[in-house]
Amino acid sequence: LLLQSDPQRQVPVAWDPAAVLAVRPVSLEVQCEDSPGVLAAMSKAIASAGVNLGAVMLRKRPEGHGVGRLECLVASRDQLESVISRLQLVRGVLRVTRCNGGCKGPGLGRVARLNNEGKRRERARMALARLMLEA
């Protein structure tokens, strides 16, 4: 209302078309068939949207499919929506969801726990081996 009452307060502005947009990491959870070429096709779909991958974590599920977390480096919401749309078109992709606040879906949280458990077991084995060598 204030701008309408006093036109002298209006200032013309425009976005710099040459400005480089900052990329932000966005995690997506992808459920897919466990078959050769699916990961390559997903990577190609992401690249075709002009997006780079920051990280990939995949896990095979007992049901015969895989679940993965893909960290995509996107510059805009439109670019993110393009990535999601392109991933959904990949043969073998069953579902694509954005991870808001971290992926806690089936399998991915367990991957981190299993990795941590494996590290603990390895440390315990190494400590036991050192003790046996010292004896």
Side-chain angles (χ1 to χ4, degrees):
L1 291 171
L2 187 58
L3 289 177
Q4 292 173 349
S5 65
D6 191 358
Q8 291 181 5
R9 291 180 181 239
Q10 293 181 4
V11 178
V13 296
W15 293 105
D16 181 4
V20 177
L21 295 174
V23 295
R24 295 178 180 2
V26 176
S27 292
L28 299 175
E29 182 178 276
V30 180
Q31 290 187 7
C32 59
E33 295 174 359
D34 181 24
S35 58
V38 174
L39 178 59
M42 289 190 299
S43 179
K44 187 175 180 180
I46 292 166
S48 72
V51 171
N52 210 2
L53 280 170
V56 176
M57 181 175 28
L58 300 171
R59 183 169 186 348
K60 186 174 179 176
R61 302 286 295 156
E63 301 87 37
H65 67 272
V67 62
R69 186 164 98 188
L70 310 174
E71 183 185 77
C72 299
L73 305 174
V74 298
S76 67
R77 183 181 181 128
D78 290 339
Q79 200 175 38
L80 174 61
E81 290 173 359
S82 175
V83 167
I84 292 171
S85 296
R86 290 167 192 254
L87 282 171
Q88 290 171 334
L89 294 175
V90 171
R91 180 178 298 211
V93 169
L94 306 172
R95 191 177 92 185
V96 180
T97 54
R98 181 175 179 181
C99 300
N100 293 321
C103 288
K104 305 242 188 260
L108 288 176
R110 189 164 180 253
V111 168
R113 287 194 303 277
L114 289 175
N115 287 343
N116 289 336
E117 182 62 29
K119 289 176 186 176
R120 280 192 287 273
R121 287 182 188 157
E122 183 61 27
R123 284 193 299 267
R125 275 193 289 265
M126 296 299 287
L128 181 60
R130 280 192 301 273
L131 288 173
M132 291 175 70
L133 288 173
E134 291 172 3

